[in-house]
Amino acid sequence: PKARSLFLRRSKCDQRGKGVVLRCPSVEDARVDAVRAVDSYIARSTVSLHPDGPLFVLDDGSPLIRPVVIAALRQAATLAGLPGKEFNGISFRKGGALSMALGGVEDRVIRDLGRWSSGCFRRYIVLTDVEIDRAARLAAAGVSGCANEWTQPFMPTSMFGL
């Protein structure tokens, strides 16, 4: 499948409680493809999923709720040697915004995909030393590639009637 649509009945970004349809495109050549992951989850599910019910459920059929996700995130972070207590629900939004920014996605697209109504998402885009070093190398390469143009005196010949 090329894409899936998911309906969120409620979310932090939906202050009026209307719900929102999210389109999740398939990215076939990527290491992680949300569509394939969801299809795999559905195929392996031991619980009968209902079209109008929650997509993510626990083994007993109850909906997967935020506190359970946060607990699992913290546990996984701790097992990876990270400070698990510092991770929370906003970590997903921060990571998504940062990943898109580092991938060259335009600000307006990041804002819309994250369902932000302002540019406040920019505060989540904190560059690491690796990104800063890479930017410096790219900037230096750009400058050195233009060195001849910049070091030559600018004198249009038309100014002197030549």
Side-chain angles (χ1 to χ4, degrees), residues 13-93:
C13 300
D14 180 22
Q15 298 297 317
R16 296 188 180 125
K18 293 181 179 179
V20 64
V21 175
L22 300 178
R23 182 178 173 275
C24 299
S26 179
V27 186
E28 296 177 12
D29 58 342
R31 285 187 321 148
V32 178
D33 179 344
V35 172
R36 285 196 317 251
V38 168
D39 287 350
S40 175
Y41 164 77
I42 291 170
R44 290 182 292 120
S45 178
T46 58
V47 178
S48 177
L49 300 173
H50 301 284
D52 294 330
L55 174 60
F56 299 106
V57 296
L58 300 174
D59 290 338
D60 65 1
S62 62
L64 181 62
I65 56 175
R66 186 176 192 274
V68 174
V69 173
I70 302 304
L73 172 65
R74 289 179 174 165
Q75 182 180 15
T78 300
L79 289 172
L82 301 170
K85 291 181 182 179
E86 293 180 18
F87 286 81
N88 55 44
I90 198 70
S91 301
F92 292 110
R93 291 178 62 103

Side-chain angles (χ1 to χ4, degrees), residues 88-110:
N88 55 44
I90 198 70
S91 301
F92 292 110
R93 291 178 62 103
K94 286 180 177 180
L98 179 59
S99 293
M100 285 189 279
L102 293 175
V105 176
E106 294 177 40
D107 280 4
R108 69 176 181 80
V109 175
I110 296 171

Side-chain angles (χ1 to χ4, degrees), residues 82-160:
L82 301 170
K85 291 181 182 179
E86 293 180 18
F87 286 81
N88 55 44
I90 198 70
S91 301
F92 292 110
R93 291 178 62 103
K94 286 180 177 180
L98 179 59
S99 293
M100 285 189 279
L102 293 175
V105 176
E106 294 177 40
D107 280 4
R108 69 176 181 80
V109 175
I110 296 171
R111 184 194 66 230
D112 290 352
L113 289 176
R115 299 182 321 279
W116 281 285
S117 58
S118 71
C120 67
F121 69 90
R122 287 186 195 98
R123 70 176 172 232
Y124 301 138
I125 301 172
V126 179
L127 299 178
T128 65
D129 288 345
V130 172
E131 281 88 33
I132 294 169
D133 293 348
R134 180 175 178 265
R137 285 192 306 276
L138 290 172
V143 170
S144 66
C146 298
N148 289 338
E149 295 173 24
W150 289 356
T151 56
Q152 299 300 317
F154 177 70
M155 285 192 198
T157 54
S158 61
M159 285 179 61
F160 302 103

